[in-house]
């Protein structure tokens, strides 16, 4: 599509500076070319991200504002499936951050349409293999099918789109910014009166509020830009319409693609969020050299893995569970470099004044030259230590690393396996232990999921005014070193000359059907949480 746009639009003076990337040599992208061995921002999307009819599309404008090269991976007509390719994923994961446009729902498959080859709105009819576009499929459905049948195909398309988009987001370990760029809001009613146009409406076609919320849950940030500023956009003299622009009184007009004014508004909407992930966002704080932080999480979310990686950064001191009741009862202080002689006084301080105990450990580390000092606070431990929690909440200089897990059913299964085996962590070099499947009732699963969701919401609200880095366990498990580097950047730690070392191995790695007794039967009954069984 890039070459197609360039051929049509050169008559209007548009030069999209097309070039090829070495690992994606079969396709051309909007320039200027980028040196991907150095820091850059990546933008994934369709023609709106590519910037048709725009001399200065929003990715380019953001690169200028942030003084950072941008990799524009906008491909006209693309859907999320198009980017499920290792070459694309490597480019995204190498970026400082990735802005992903909410793509059109036309570019998804259903029982009658297969777009697996293109990943866009061109595909094949499943019944006879004939080539067609999704618009044509819905046009034919309007002439031959009932509205109920069309509604079924629509929902199939939406389900496929959502599932593929979520899978795409789960493959990206760089910070992910989901971007809604449209002339309409995501909350709207379907209209089947004049298919396919009434159903598709504006970009992103077929995507509604429910889908957007589900997808946004797998991104780090969600940004909206809803605008029609500058439309219609006057282009160049022509008596004939072209693809994407209509001739009106001898002049072409753009009523479909974002106008230059909309691109500026898009850059305005994204700028602050992008700065958070590019090393150029410097929040005001009282002490730029000594930073305190807390790793907050539920059980089985990869906290040991992350802390083990952070310990490789020489200017970071991070303890484990300082306020775990088990540690307290056993007189354990999980902190480095504490002498035997110091332990009794610190234990007494933790018992009588836990806030002063934490401050004392921080002061020790800061005096020893550490620039960042933190510890791990599990949800239950925080809720049982009211004085500590209130002190952390009231000090907005404390940075928060919030570890979450997308699949809350696998989290519960892992927790149950750890309890039954008595092994909560395994070193990288320790023998691999096969864990036995666990039996859970539907009620136990629902109660656990709801409790974790409540705890997540509580702690997000409690630290809403702090600087927070949100990390998902799935990203950490897939690319631990990359996530550790991102966390170190957030904490302002000095970069390492060599990658941090993974010291803990993922446990409970079995597939859910092998780790949970009667998984198929539970899946059939628990339709609301079926995605937990499938991912």
């Amino acid at each position: 599509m890039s070459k197609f746009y360039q051929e049509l639009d050169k008559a209007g003076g548009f030069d999209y500076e097309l070039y090829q990337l070495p690992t994606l040599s079969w396709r051309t992208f909007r320039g200027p070319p980028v040196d991907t061995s150095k820091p850059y921002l990546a933008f994934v999307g369709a023609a709106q991200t590519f910037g048709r009819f725009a001399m200065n599309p929003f990715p380019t404008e953001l690169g200028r504002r942030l003084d950072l090269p941008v990799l524009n991976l906008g491909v006209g007509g693309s859907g999320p499936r198009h980017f499920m390719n290792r070459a694309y994923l490597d480019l995204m994961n190498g970026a400082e951050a990735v802005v992903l446009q909410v793509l059109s729902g036309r570019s998804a498959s259903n029982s009658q349409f297969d777009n697996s080859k293109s990943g866009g709105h061109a595909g094949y009819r499943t019944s006879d293999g004939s080539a067609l576009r999704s618009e044509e499929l819905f046009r034919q459905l309007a002439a031959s099918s009932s509205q109920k049948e069309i509604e079924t195909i629509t929902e199939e398309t939406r389900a496929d789109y959502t599932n593929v988009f979520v899978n795409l987001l789960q493959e990206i370990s760089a910070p992910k910014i989901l971007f809604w760029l449209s002339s309409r809001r995501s909350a709207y009613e379907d209209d089947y009166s004049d298919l396919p146009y009434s159903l598709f409406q504006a970009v992103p076609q077929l995507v509604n509020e429910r889908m957007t919320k589900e997808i946004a849950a797998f991104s780090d940030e969600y940004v909206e830009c809803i605008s029609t500023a500058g439309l219609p956009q006057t282009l160049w003299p022509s008596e004939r319409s072209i693809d994407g622009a209509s001739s009106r009184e001898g002049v072409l007009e753009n009523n479909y693609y974002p106008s230059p004014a909309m691109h500026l508004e898009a850059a305005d909407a994204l700028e602050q969020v992008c700065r958070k992930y590019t090393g150029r966002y410097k929040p005001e704080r009282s002490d730029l050299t000594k930073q305190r932080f807390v790793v907050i999480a539920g059980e089985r979310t990869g906290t040991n893995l992350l802390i083990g990686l952070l310990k490789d950064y020489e200017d970071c001191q991070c303890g484990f569970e300082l306020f775990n009741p088990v540690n307290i009862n056993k007189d354990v202080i999980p902190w480095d470099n504490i002498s035997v002689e110091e332990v009794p006084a610190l234990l007494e301080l933790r018992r009588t004044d836990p806030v002063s105990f934490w401050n004392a450990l921080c002061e020790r580390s800061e005096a020893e030259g550490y620039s960042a000092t933190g510890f791990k606070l599990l949800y239950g431990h925080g809720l049982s230590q009211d004085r500590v929690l209130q002190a952390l909440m009231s000090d907005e200089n404390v940075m928060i690393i919030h570890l979450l897990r997308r699949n809350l059913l696998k989290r519960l299964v892992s927790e149950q396996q750890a309890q039954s085996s008595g092994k909560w962590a395994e070193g990288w070099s320790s023998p691999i232990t096969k864990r036995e499947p666990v039996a859970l009732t539907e009620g136990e699963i629902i109660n656990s999921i709801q409790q974790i969701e409540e705890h997540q919401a509580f702690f997000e609200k409690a630290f809403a005014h702090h600087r927070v880095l949100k990390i998902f366990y799935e990203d950490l498990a897939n690319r631990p070193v990359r996530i550790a580097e991102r966390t170190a950047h957030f904490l302002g730690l000095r970069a390492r000359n060599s990658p941090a070392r993974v010291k803990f191995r993922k446990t409970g790695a079995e597939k859910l059907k092998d780790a949970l007794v009667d998984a198929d039967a539970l899946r059939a009954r628990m339709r609301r949480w079926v995605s937990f069984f499938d991912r």
Side-chain angles (χ1 to χ4, degrees):
M1 291 298 289
S2 303
K3 291 181 179 179
F4 178 71
Y5 294 153
Q6 184 63 83
E7 281 300 307
L8 286 177
D9 304 345
K10 63 183 179 182
F14 290 98
D15 179 5
Y16 299 133
E17 302 180 75
L18 300 184
Y19 75 106
Q20 292 177 308
L21 289 159
T23 56
L24 290 164
S25 58
W26 64 90
R27 184 170 294 283
T28 55
F29 297 92
R30 180 157 191 171
V34 179
D35 181 355
T36 56
S37 68
K38 299 177 180 179
Y40 61 93
L41 279 175
F43 292 81
V44 174
Q48 295 73 26
T49 296
F50 175 89
R52 191 179 183 195
F53 300 141
M55 297 291 190
N56 193 38
F58 70 85
T60 304
E61 174 64 18
L62 280 165
R64 183 190 65 77
R65 296 183 187 184
L66 302 175
D67 189 26
L68 195 66
V70 296
L71 177 63
N72 189 328
L73 296 175
V75 177
S78 62
R81 184 172 277 112
H82 176 81
F83 298 99
M84 285 291 287
N85 173 294
R86 180 48 52 192
Y88 277 121
L89 291 169
D90 286 346
L91 289 167
M92 288 184 251
N93 286 326
E96 298 290 283
V98 185
V99 177
L100 297 104
Q101 176 190 341
V102 179
L103 296 157
S104 169
R106 293 182 302 174
S107 303
S109 295
N110 54 58
S111 59
Q112 297 191 28
F113 177 74
D114 179 8
N115 82 327
S116 57
K117 186 175 182 180
S118 72
H121 54 73
Y124 299 88
R125 192 193 310 277
T126 57
S127 59
D128 58 15
S130 59
L132 79 168
R133 291 160 64 109
S134 59
E135 302 98 306
E136 182 59 27
L137 171 72
F138 277 87
R139 186 179 295 110
Q140 294 174 9
L141 288 172
S144 62
S145 305
S146 67
Q147 180 172 319
K148 184 173 180 59
E149 291 171 324
I150 298 171
E151 289 175 356
T152 298
I153 296 298
T154 300
E155 289 310 308
E156 289 178 359
T157 307
R158 285 171 165 161
D160 178 74
Y161 171 95
T162 303
N163 186 59
V164 174
F165 213 135
V166 167
N167 289 339
L168 173 63
L169 290 169
Q170 289 181 310
E171 289 293 321
I172 303 170
S173 59
K176 300 175 279 285
I177 303 166
L178 188 67
F179 185 40
W180 177 276
L181 175 60
S182 180
S183 60
R184 67 169 175 87
R185 298 189 179 279
S186 60
Y188 73 100
E189 297 294 329
D190 289 339
D191 182 358
Y192 293 89
S193 63
D194 183 22
L195 293 174
Y197 309 106
S198 60
L199 180 61
F200 285 176
Q201 297 192 29
V203 174
Q205 294 89 344
L206 294 184
V207 182
N208 58 25
E209 186 176 31
R210 173 184 56 80
M211 298 163 67
T212 305
K213 286 182 177 179
E214 185 169 348
I215 296 164
F218 290 83
S219 60
D220 296 282
E221 307 279 354
Y222 174 67
V223 177
E224 285 187 346
C225 179
I226 301 167
S227 174
T228 57
L231 293 181
Q233 174 191 0
T234 301
L235 297 172
W236 63 89
S238 176
E239 296 295 333
R240 298 178 58 184
S241 297
I242 64 172
D243 188 277
S246 57
S247 180
R248 179 181 176 85
E249 298 180 355
V251 178
L252 288 175
E253 282 187 351
N254 164 37
N255 279 285
Y256 180 75
Y257 300 100
S259 67
M262 291 171 66
H263 278 281
L264 285 175
E265 290 188 6
D268 289 342
L270 285 165
E271 181 177 357
Q272 183 80 349
V273 170
C274 287
R275 285 188 185 277
K276 290 172 61 177
Y277 299 103
T278 60
R280 289 159 176 76
Y281 178 62
K282 301 294 184 184
E284 293 183 4
R285 62 193 193 205
S286 58
D287 185 353
L288 290 173
T289 59
K290 304 297 182 183
Q291 184 59 56
R292 299 180 182 184
F293 68 94
V294 183
V295 179
I296 293 176
E299 288 83 354
R300 315 311 293 165
T301 52
T303 50
N304 289 337
L305 172 59
L306 179 63
I307 292 173
L309 289 160
L310 289 177
K311 282 179 174 291
D312 270 1
Y313 289 83
E314 61 182 17
D315 49 341
C316 179
Q317 166 71 289
C318 187
F320 287 90
E321 299 169 23
L322 291 180
F323 301 103
N324 185 336
V326 174
N327 291 340
I328 293 174
N329 292 334
K330 291 184 177 180
D331 291 343
V332 174
I333 301 176
W335 198 264
D336 295 339
N337 305 324
I338 294 179
S339 66
V340 174
E341 293 77 17
E342 295 173 292
V343 169
L346 285 172
L347 289 175
E348 178 63 15
L349 186 60
R350 183 174 64 181
R351 185 183 67 80
T352 58
D353 191 347
V355 175
S356 294
F357 165 73
W358 159 236
N359 286 329
L361 291 179
C362 288
E363 290 167 2
R364 284 171 55 98
S365 296
E366 290 160 1
E368 292 168 357
Y370 291 101
S371 63
T373 305
F375 74 103
K376 175 168 107 175
L377 186 68
L378 296 180
Y379 292 153
H381 303 166
L383 293 172
S384 67
Q385 289 285 338
D386 186 65
R387 282 185 289 174
V388 174
L389 185 58
Q390 290 299 322
L392 295 172
M393 289 168 57
S394 63
D395 185 356
E396 294 182 9
N397 287 318
V398 175
M399 301 178 78
I400 304 298
I401 300 170
H402 195 175
L403 265 170
L404 304 101
R405 190 158 180 164
R406 296 188 181 103
N407 194 318
L408 298 181
L409 175 55
K410 284 188 176 180
R411 189 215 67 81
L412 173 61
V413 170
S414 178
E415 182 181 34
Q416 293 294 312
Q417 288 181 318
Q419 287 179 347
S420 62
S421 67
K423 296 194 69 173
W424 291 87
E426 289 185 0
W428 186 254
S429 60
S430 61
I432 297 175
T433 304
K434 178 174 174 54
R435 303 198 169 199
E436 295 300 319
V438 297
L440 293 168
T441 67
E442 186 176 347
E444 288 172 333
I445 294 172
I446 293 173
N447 288 339
S448 171
I449 291 172
Q450 290 178 338
Q451 183 181 64
I452 289 293
E453 287 178 339
E454 289 173 2
H455 287 170
Q456 288 175 355
F458 172 85
F459 281 92
E460 285 180 355
K461 183 178 180 180
F463 295 103
H465 299 293
H466 290 60
R467 281 160 288 148
V468 178
L469 175 64
K470 186 186 295 185
I471 297 173
F472 286 99
Y473 163 84
E474 288 81 358
D475 295 340
L476 175 63
N478 288 336
R479 297 176 181 84
V481 173
R482 179 71 177 86
I483 297 300
E485 290 171 348
R486 175 182 164 193
T487 308
H489 180 82
F490 172 72
L491 294 174
L493 301 176
R494 289 190 293 271
R496 287 179 52 81
N497 293 325
S498 59
R501 295 174 297 107
V502 176
K503 304 173 188 65
F504 293 93
R505 183 172 50 236
K506 179 180 177 181
T507 60
E510 304 93 342
K511 293 181 179 179
L512 196 55
K513 66 177 182 179
D514 299 323
L516 178 62
V517 175
D518 293 331
D520 290 340
L522 287 165
R523 181 188 185 281
R525 294 197 301 271
M526 301 181 66
R527 302 303 301 172
R528 178 181 172 188
W529 291 280
V530 69
S531 63
F532 289 156
F533 290 87
D534 295 339
R535 297 193 179 99

